[in-house]
Amino acid sequence: MLRLLERLLASVLLVLLATVPVRADEAARRKVIIDDDGFGLMHLMLLESPDVDVLGMTTVSGDVWANRVTAMALRGLEIARRSDVPVVPGATYPLLNSEALTDRWEALYGKLTWRGAWMKEWVEPTAQSTPPYHGPNDPVELPWGNPTHKPSAEIAALYLLRMVHQYPGQVTIIACGPLTNLALAQRLDPQFAALAKGLVVMGGSFNPHQVLADQAAADFAREFANTPRREFNIRFDPEAASIVWRSPWRQVTVVPVDPSTATQRRPDLLKRLAGVASPALGKFIAGMEPGFPLWDETAAGVFLDPAMVTGKETLYIDTNTQFGPGYGDMLSWREHYQPGLGERPAEVIHSIDPAKLEALMVRAIAESAKVGR
């Protein structure tokens, strides 16, 4: 009788379990780590997408210094009410490149349009505001308030290694800044790249052209008019990029500058995004400076919905690490033409559907309001 009762209870339990709806976070959500040099709409798109599990964010110097990026990420997560996502500080300096080396390079080969953390002024008048100059260890005071939460005590490269070992073949790394953290992880453990599910990089350029007819688009087009293979994320740490390109990833998707020339963070788009967001997040979005191409957002969009891609090809890629006029430039070859020095194939995105990207951004941001964030 007791055995019969146990069997009956077990059968009832199985029926109950079978009828319980599976929540999105219990299903096969795509595990992601965001490696970046800032915080913005790209992060919100991934954080609010119901089929994505953002395991953590690793920070790196690029547009600004790593300590400032870490504070931005922490504060951004607080505003988005996602402080459950850990922020892990990463590399402050590139592997070899430096501000002094960049000064010397410019004296020999001409001015860079954008210098990131080393930027003091625009070479010529531009529609975008001049960013404030800071040192790598200067105190951080964010315009949207400083965070109250603290970053992880772990180091980004070690965190990346721990995650791909904990979830082998499951973690996609979305890198939208210089690739220093990834190169360090690869040098610490040669299995790092092979253990990840894949890599999505916003970086590099091939042959971008101005698409939109406004002053902001014209300003950004100047950067590539005479140097079509030079892009900041890769140029900031060329040696790290070369290490990453040659690493044994299962899949690499490169989203260069090229598709972003058809996109722009327009005032009406920001207003639309702010309108569907929760009040706190809407205020944050409304305060963003307009006029910038949707670089990182395009990378997130390609990952979230590959159907928006309208042009792509497979290329073998590398970065020029010779200190000369082409230092940091993108190198690429079609099959059979590569030199055979460790280059690996990557899927390079040449164009996307901007309308699909904007629609995806609106849907993702609207999720925060649905769940009361």
Side-chain angles (χ1 to χ4, degrees), residues 267-343:
D268 66 292
L269 176 60
L270 289 174
K271 183 177 181 180
R272 187 180 174 196
L273 293 170
V276 299
S278 61
L281 202 55
K283 183 179 179 181
F284 173 70
I285 293 171
M288 293 180 174
E289 183 177 359
F292 291 87
L294 299 174
W295 296 299
D296 298 356
E297 295 82 358
T298 300
V302 168
F303 170 75
L304 293 170
D305 181 15
M308 73 175 58
V309 176
T310 57
K312 63 181 181 179
E313 70 175 318
T314 299
L315 294 171
Y316 287 80
I317 58 174
D318 201 353
T319 300
N320 187 343
T321 57
Q322 302 300 310
F323 189 81
Y327 182 59
D329 286 5
M330 202 79 173
L331 304 174
S332 65
W333 305 267
R334 289 191 173 91
E335 181 73 57
H336 307 303
Y337 290 90
Q338 70 274 21
L341 298 174
E343 308 85 14

Side-chain angles (χ1 to χ4, degrees), residues 347-363:
E347 184 177 74
V348 177
I349 308 301
H350 289 307
S351 60
I352 63 158
D353 183 333
K356 287 186 177 180
L357 173 62
E358 292 185 10
L360 174 62
M361 293 171 66
V362 172
R363 289 197 304 272

Side-chain angles (χ1 to χ4, degrees), residues 3-67:
R3 287 185 178 180
L4 180 61
L5 184 58
E6 289 176 345
R7 290 176 181 175
L8 180 61
L9 288 173
S11 299
V12 171
L13 181 60
L14 287 173
V15 171
L16 288 173
L17 289 174
T19 57
V20 172
V22 179
R23 292 167 45 192
D25 58 356
E26 294 172 345
R29 298 173 68 196
R30 294 185 284 176
K31 292 179 172 56
V32 163
I33 295 174
I34 303 173
D35 184 81
D36 193 30
D37 57 351
F39 186 91
L41 294 172
M42 174 272 290
H43 302 78
L44 298 174
M45 291 169 64
L46 295 167
L47 286 165
E48 305 301 346
S49 294
D51 69 331
V52 173
D53 179 12
V54 179
L55 299 175
M57 296 183 185
T58 51
T59 65
V60 64
S61 291
D63 286 336
V64 296
W65 292 107
N67 66 337

Side-chain angles (χ1 to χ4, degrees), residues 139-278:
V140 177
E141 292 292 335
L142 298 179
W144 8 297
N146 286 342
T148 58
H149 288 75
K150 301 298 181 183
S152 168
E154 203 167 2
I155 296 172
L158 298 180
Y159 172 79
L160 289 164
L161 285 172
R162 182 166 65 83
M163 287 294 100
V164 298
H165 278 277
Q166 184 174 337
Y167 302 107
Q170 300 179 59
V171 179
T172 299
I173 299 169
I174 300 181
C176 294
L179 301 177
T180 316
N181 291 331
L182 278 62
L184 290 170
Q186 183 63 29
R187 282 296 184 255
L188 287 169
D189 182 356
Q191 294 302 308
F192 166 64
L195 286 169
K197 181 177 182 180
L199 172 66
V200 178
V201 174
M202 189 281 120
S205 63
F206 290 80
N207 193 23
H209 294 281
Q210 181 179 347
V211 174
L212 304 178
D214 59 33
Q215 188 58 50
D219 287 348
F220 282 108
R222 296 181 312 207
E223 183 172 358
F224 307 102
N226 297 303
T227 54
R229 291 295 180 119
R230 185 175 303 147
E231 183 273 333
F232 170 76
N233 282 349
I234 305 305
R235 175 60 177 74
F236 191 77
D237 195 343
E239 288 77 16
S242 185
I243 290 171
V244 170
W245 300 142
R246 295 164 181 254
S247 299
W249 305 94
R250 302 182 188 203
Q251 181 179 359
V252 177
T253 301
V254 178
V255 183
V257 170
D258 303 54
S260 73
T261 58
T263 71
Q264 192 175 97
R265 191 199 291 173
R266 305 182 314 278
D268 66 292
L269 176 60
L270 289 174
K271 183 177 181 180
R272 187 180 174 196
L273 293 170
V276 299
S278 61

